[in-house]
Each structure stands twice: as structure tokens, then as C-alpha cells.
């Protein structure tokens, strides 16, 4: 129909900008996609999982829907991402919850500075799945959390010690959270008491008491990679913390029966993606420009 063709024409007019941190600050890079004519527009930091994966300049239904709704998309490639050399990829294991979080914050700030006429600093969110959900949970509770007014978490890792006994890849927890490379070489295994304390320190659940922004949780009930109890524990902890502070938790959880890590069925995946985008658009476009 003509409406769909008009939407596609708008998408073809979207602009791609690259934002890169100096080498002395790690050299991380972000791909920033802006709708045509974007001016002080809302934005979301859409974070890839893995963590040894990458955000690419390629087709994405969610990115297209966000752009068509007037929301800019910042896609960070933090240290640990692939495609930037072995040293860049191997820098992250043993430093999750710090290096990757710091890169995402720095890339957010650099994007807001470089694209200051296009992006509204008061209307930003974060969205990620798996390790991207881990980072979203961290960003909502980190020292720089005021940058992100809301967040969507898709089957996120939130509690590394609890992952050890429930995930189908327990060695990943040790390799990424303690030491060693992405394949688990030289990682501490099995872990000891001090290791469990370190893993907790690197988990976003450790800063749940700081989270105030609205959140949407998307969970596959049959996920064996990141069991849905991870997301459930974050929601429950947030509700308890907010209750103690005398304020309700603005958090919604959607659980998809029979779905795994990717929520991959046609119906389930469409429902999850549309829910995430609609929720983000409602909150980001609904915010008034404070400036």
C-alpha cells in the first residue's frame, strides 16, 4: 500500500554516522542511525549480545521500526566485539561489568556530543538481549544511569554466580567474569568462594538498589542459555527494593512459554520485537524535551 511505500522511502533517507573513541580510551565505535531530518530526537542504545559479536550496518526489523517511529538508534561495538582485531576482542574477558559498561557510557556521551543537533540527551533509553541485557541492566544502575530514562532487557544475564549452576555454558561465566579468553583458556574452574564474590560484584544485580527507570523484561520460559530465573530475579529484586523505598517499581515482564534464548518462533518473536519497540517509542516519544 502507499503508506508502506512511503515508510520505506523514509527509511532509505535515514543517515548513518560513526562515532569512535580515541585509541587511548579503548577505540570502541558506535553506528548511529538517524531518521531523515532528525532534530533533538529521542534515541535508544541498542546493545548486541555475545559479548563476542558485533553491531553491523545491516537490516534489522527493530531498527527499521524504531527509525520509522522517529527514534534514533545508537549501536555500540564495545571492547570484546568482533571485527576490530584480536586484541580488541580479547580485552574484555575478566572485565565484564566494567570495561563494556564504561565503553557503552562513553559511546553514548560521544554520540550525544557529536550529534548534538540530532539527539535529545533527555530522551534516551537502552535495549539489549543476553549480554546486551546484562549491559542494559548495568546502565540502569550505574553511576551514569541518568543518561537512560528507560530500558528493555531480553533474556538478560543479571546474576553471574547463579548462572554457574543453571546455564548450559557454565565455563562462559568463569571465562568472561574472572579471567582467560573467550574459549575458557586459563579461566578459573571450578570457582571458589572469592570467585563467587567477584562474580557478584560484576553482576548488575549488585546495583539493583540504584535502578529507578522504567523497565520491560522479555523472557523465554524454556531458555537454557540464560534461564528465565535470571530475569525473574531482577524483577523481583527491583520490586522489593522499590517497596522498601516506598515507591512502586515501574517494571513489566512478559514471559513466552516454550520459547528459548532467541524467542525464535514466528509468533513469539514478532510479539517480543513489537512489544519492545512499542514500549520504547511510547516512553521515549512521550518524554518532553527538557531543554
Amino acid at each position: 500500500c502507499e503508506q508502506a511505500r512511503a515508510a520505506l522511502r523514509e527509511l532509505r533517507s535515514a543517515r548513518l554516522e560513526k562515532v569512535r573513541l580515541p585509541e587511548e580510551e579503548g577505540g570502541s565505535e558506535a553506528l548511529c542511525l538517524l531518521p531523515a531530518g532528525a532534530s533533538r530526537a529521542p534515541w535508544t542504545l541498542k546493545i548486541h549480545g555475545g559479548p563476542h559479536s558485533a553491531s553491523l550496518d545491516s537490516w534489522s526489523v527493530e531498527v527499521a521500526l524504531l527509525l520509522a517511529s522517529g527514534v534514533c538508534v545508537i549501536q555500540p561495538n564495545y571492547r570484546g566485539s568482533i571485527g576490530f582485531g584480536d586484541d580488541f576482542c580479547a580485552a574484555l574477558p575478566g572485565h565484564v561489568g566494567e570495561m563494556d559498561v564504561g565503553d557503552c557510557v562513553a559511546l553514548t556521551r560521544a554520540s550525544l556530543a557529536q550529534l548534538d543537533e540530532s539527539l535529545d540527551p533527555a530522551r534516551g533509553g537502552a535495549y539489549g538481549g543476553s549480554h546486551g541485557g546484562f549491559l542494559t541492566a548495568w546502565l540502569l544502575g550505574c553511576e551514569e544511569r541518568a543518561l537512560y530514562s528507560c530500558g528493555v532487557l531480553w533474556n538478560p544475564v543479571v546474576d553471574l554466580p547463579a548462572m554457574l549452576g543453571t546455564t548450559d555454558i557454565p565455563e562462559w561465566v568463569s571465562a568472561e567474569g574472572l579471567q582467560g579468553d573467550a574459549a575458557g583458556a586459563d579461566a578459573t574452574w571450578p570457582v571458589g568462594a572469592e570467585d563467587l564474590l567477584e562474580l557478584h560484584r560484576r553482576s548488575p544485580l549488585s546495583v539493583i538498589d540504584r535502578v529507578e527507570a522504567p523497565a520491560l523484561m522479555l523472557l523465554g520460559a524454556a531458555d537454557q542459555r540464560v534461564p528465565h530465573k535470571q530475569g525473574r530475579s531482577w524483577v523481583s529484586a527491583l520490586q522489593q527494593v522499590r517497596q522498601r523505598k516506598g515507591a512502586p517499581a515501574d517494571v513489566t515482564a512478559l514471559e513466552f512459554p516454550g520459547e528459548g534464548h532467541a524467542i525464535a518462533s514466528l509468533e513469539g518473536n514478532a510479539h517480543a520485537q513489537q512489544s519492545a519497540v512499542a514500549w520504547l517509542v511510547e516512553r521515549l516519544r512521550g518524554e518532553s524535551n527538557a531543554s
Side-chain angles (χ1 to χ4, degrees):
C1 68
E2 181 55 37
Q3 186 177 6
R5 285 192 288 269
L8 287 173
R9 285 195 294 270
E10 286 293 319
L11 286 175
R12 294 191 192 101
S13 302
R15 187 167 104 245
L16 171 65
E17 299 283 350
K18 290 185 179 181
V19 174
R20 187 172 178 84
L21 299 180
E23 290 299 325
E24 58 269 22
E25 296 179 19
S28 296
E29 181 182 282
L31 303 177
C32 301
L33 289 154
L34 314 170
S39 176
R40 306 290 283 182
W43 52 272
T44 188
L45 188 77
K46 191 172 185 303
I47 315 167
H48 71 72
H52 307 294
S53 180
S55 292
L56 306 174
D57 177 18
S58 59
W59 170 255
S60 163
V61 171
E62 290 171 309
V63 171
L65 290 173
L66 286 165
L67 292 174
S69 301
V71 177
C72 303
V73 181
I74 304 171
Q75 299 184 102
N77 282 310
Y78 47 87
R79 277 173 287 181
S81 302
I82 61 175
F84 298 86
D86 290 344
D87 291 344
F88 190 89
C89 182
L92 183 59
H95 302 284
V96 295
E98 292 180 330
M99 180 182 288
D100 43 3
V101 176
D103 282 358
C104 285
V105 169
L107 285 168
T108 299
R109 289 202 174 280
S111 299
L112 292 174
Q114 181 174 318
L115 304 168
D116 62 315
E117 294 185 358
S118 299
L119 303 177
D120 182 352
R123 293 193 291 163
Y127 173 23
S130 196
H131 193 79
F134 170 90
L135 289 171
T136 298
W138 258 114
L139 294 174
L140 295 182
C142 73
E143 294 291 342
E144 305 283 345
R145 58 191 178 279
L147 285 169
Y148 312 97
S149 62
C150 61
V152 176
L153 305 89
W154 179 309
N155 285 326
V157 177
V158 299
D159 185 350
L160 290 169
M163 277 278 286
L164 282 169
T166 55
T167 180
D168 60 352
I169 50 168
E171 64 279 4
W172 175 91
V173 180
S174 178
E176 299 294 347
L178 297 172
Q179 62 169 321
D181 60 24
D186 299 320
T188 301
W189 186 259
V191 300
E194 292 299 319
D195 297 324
L196 290 174
L197 289 173
E198 177 65 9
L199 288 173
H200 174 72
R201 189 180 70 82
R202 296 190 177 279
S203 300
L205 198 62
S206 67
V207 293
I208 191 70
D209 60 314
R210 300 177 186 170
V211 177
E212 296 182 353
L216 172 66
M217 181 71 68
L218 302 171
L219 299 171
D223 190 352
Q224 297 184 54
R225 182 58 40 91
V226 181
H228 71 292
K229 292 178 182 178
Q230 287 277 310
R232 278 175 167 261
S233 69
W234 191 87
V235 171
S236 178
L238 180 60
Q239 290 171 331
Q240 292 296 318
V241 167
R242 297 298 291 164
Q243 185 178 40
R244 287 198 298 270
K245 293 182 178 182
D250 189 352
V251 59
T252 300
L254 300 179
E255 188 169 303
F256 296 81
E259 294 285 359
H261 196 50
I263 309 181
S265 74
L266 184 61
E267 181 179 354
N269 193 262
H271 185 182
Q273 291 193 61
Q274 291 174 14
S275 296
V277 170
W279 189 91
L280 282 167
V281 170
E282 179 182 355
R283 277 147 188 82
L284 296 176
R285 291 190 63 180
E287 299 272 347
S288 62
N289 187 340
S291 62

